[in-house]
Amino acid sequence: MIYNTQTYKIKDEAMKPFIDSKEIHNFLENAKPTKKKVREIIAKSLNKNRLSLAETAILIKTKEPELIEEIKQGAKTLKNNVYGDRIVLFAPLYIGNLCTNNCQYCGFRISNKKQQRKTLNREEIHKEVKMLQDTGHKRLILVYGEHPRYSPKYIAETVKEVYKIKSGNGEIRRVNINAAPQTIEGFKIIKKSGIGTYQVFQETYHPETYLKVHKSGSKRNFNNRLTSLDRAQEALIDDVGIGVLFGLYDWKYEVLALIRHVNHFEKVYNVGPHTISFPRIQNASSLDIDEKYFVSDENFVKLVAILRLAVPYTGLILTAREPEKIRDEVLTYGVSQIDGGTNIQMSGYSKNNINNQNLDKEQFKISDTRSLEEIISELIDTDYLPSFCTACYRLGRTGEHFMEFSVPGFIKRYCEPNAMLTLAEYLEDYANDKIKEKGYKLIYKKIETGTIKNKSMFIKKLKKIKNGERDLYF
Ligand code: SAM
Ligand code: SF4
């Protein structure tokens, strides 16, 4: 076992705020990129080593186009060498948009009177989940505003409800959460419902900016949010997701602060966060944000490549906030999970056509409006392997990204065959003839080229899936 999640002890430093903005600015000021240094840092990462703050700062400060291209190519090579071509698919499901906070960037904020408030009832949750299952989804992230109604008990109940819902061969096998920070007791209640990852984005790691954009409500407490995932760890939720909302402050500072947060987890818990998210601000109902720090496409692509190199073992999540073109480009530089067929309007999956977005009924505008079917078809065409795999989570193999990265042969033994088995399930249950044909072509090509370790066992399981069995994995 790589690390034992049951036995670690929260060390004294765990709950202490660990972001020092002066320290981060100093690293950036002192970083002086040269060709030699940049190349050495890329090589270090390709040798499967985590980068330090000083090294990451050098990549961040690199301006020469030739070297930026090398950073991007390095990220691409790392992704191909370590993870191969799998892309995990999920969908967000907004449970409720009541909110007592006042985040200037968010359509749900309490001062936005235009937002139409809604909390899905049991029947509505069933409708939405069935719609998602009928397109093939197996992994969801449930999203909640911050409101007394969305207590830990309520969140846990909605998670349990989602796991109960079945439609044909459809079922949700992993429910992740994006919701407000909780107390340790609260996290314990939620943990018992069987969640996967708990995400809390810091939004900005720059304390002054944080206060500027979080006008009122409990979210205004920077340190409470900063230490929230330590409390999650204390409650034994060890799959946690961190993130920055890019566009609030200087992207260079925020990338380095994300790495600082990773360092904190590694130091205290011996393992980094499960995932990193890097949303950019999108248009929203009554959006009230200065555009000064908005991140250009060019810098966005660069920062994703830098994150891939700096923390090679962590999952990187890219959402439908971004347009198709950027999503396709950034996939090559190390993203491991994307959403598909996303509709974030309240009750959107059952009631709303995605081409008819109403910002007063959703948190922000999404740009990639492709259906899950279209995304899967395009992934296959561009030689990616779409995956709905949830095996590690269900077998208690937490920290799977870390294992993929550090256990020799793990990907060939588990990840690749499991991705292919979940793709085969999708092809049998949801794909049209054209996608089915090219999907199986991809699977057989992979069998022939020796991508997987236990070929005969894999073929047996594949046959079983074709004969109607489901949920088979290594
Ligand atoms: N209420 C919870 C909280 O604040 O942690 C849930 C957060 S929200 C439903 C999920 C994330 O969406 C936020 O953490 C923020 O990063 C992001 N977000 C909010 N407004 C956005 C916007 N206008 N564009 C893009 N992302 C946005
Ligand atoms: Fe509420 Fe979260 Fe939106 Fe802030 S980001 S207004 S806390 S839903």
Side-chain angles (χ1 to χ4, degrees), residues 35-49:
K35 248 185 206 156
K36 187 167 173 282
K37 272 196 211 157
V38 171
R39 286 178 181 158
E40 279 169 6
I41 294 167
I42 296 172
K44 180 179 172 189
S45 172
L46 289 176
N47 272 330
K48 293 182 150 195
N49 295 303

Side-chain angles (χ1 to χ4, degrees), residues 73-91:
Q73 288 312 315
K76 196 170 177 177
T77 307
L78 182 77
K79 185 194 175 195
N80 290 340
N81 290 353
V82 177
Y83 298 102
D85 46 14
R86 287 165 301 127
I87 298 289
V88 170
L89 292 155
F90 70 95

Side-chain angles (χ1 to χ4, degrees), residues 126 129-138 163-173 425 428-430 468-471:
H126 276 246
V129 172
K130 281 192 172 160
M131 288 299 290
L132 286 159
Q133 288 173 342
D134 290 346
T135 60
H137 275 296
K138 299 283 186 276
Y163 278 129
K164 274 193 242 158
I165 301 166
K166 311 271 175 215
S167 175
N169 282 333
E171 60 180 354
I172 299 304
R173 298 176 183 159
E425 282 189 337
E428 290 298 322
D429 292 337
Y430 307 104
E469 278 190 54
R470 291 291 171 266
D471 203 12

Side-chain angles (χ1 to χ4, degrees), residues 94 105-106 143-146 178-180 201 203 219 225 245 279-282 284 287 321 363-364:
Y94 277 69
Y105 44 81
C106 178
V143 188
Y144 310 75
E146 186 166 342
N178 185 314
F201 304 157
E203 320 295 10
K219 190 163 170 181
R225 196 163 178 92
L245 180 58
R280 280 194 292 185
I281 294 178
Q282 308 298 315
L287 182 75
R321 290 174 178 88
Q363 194 184 15
F364 48 80

Side-chain angles (χ1 to χ4, degrees), residues 15 37 264:
M15 300 298 177
K37 272 196 211 157
H264 168 77

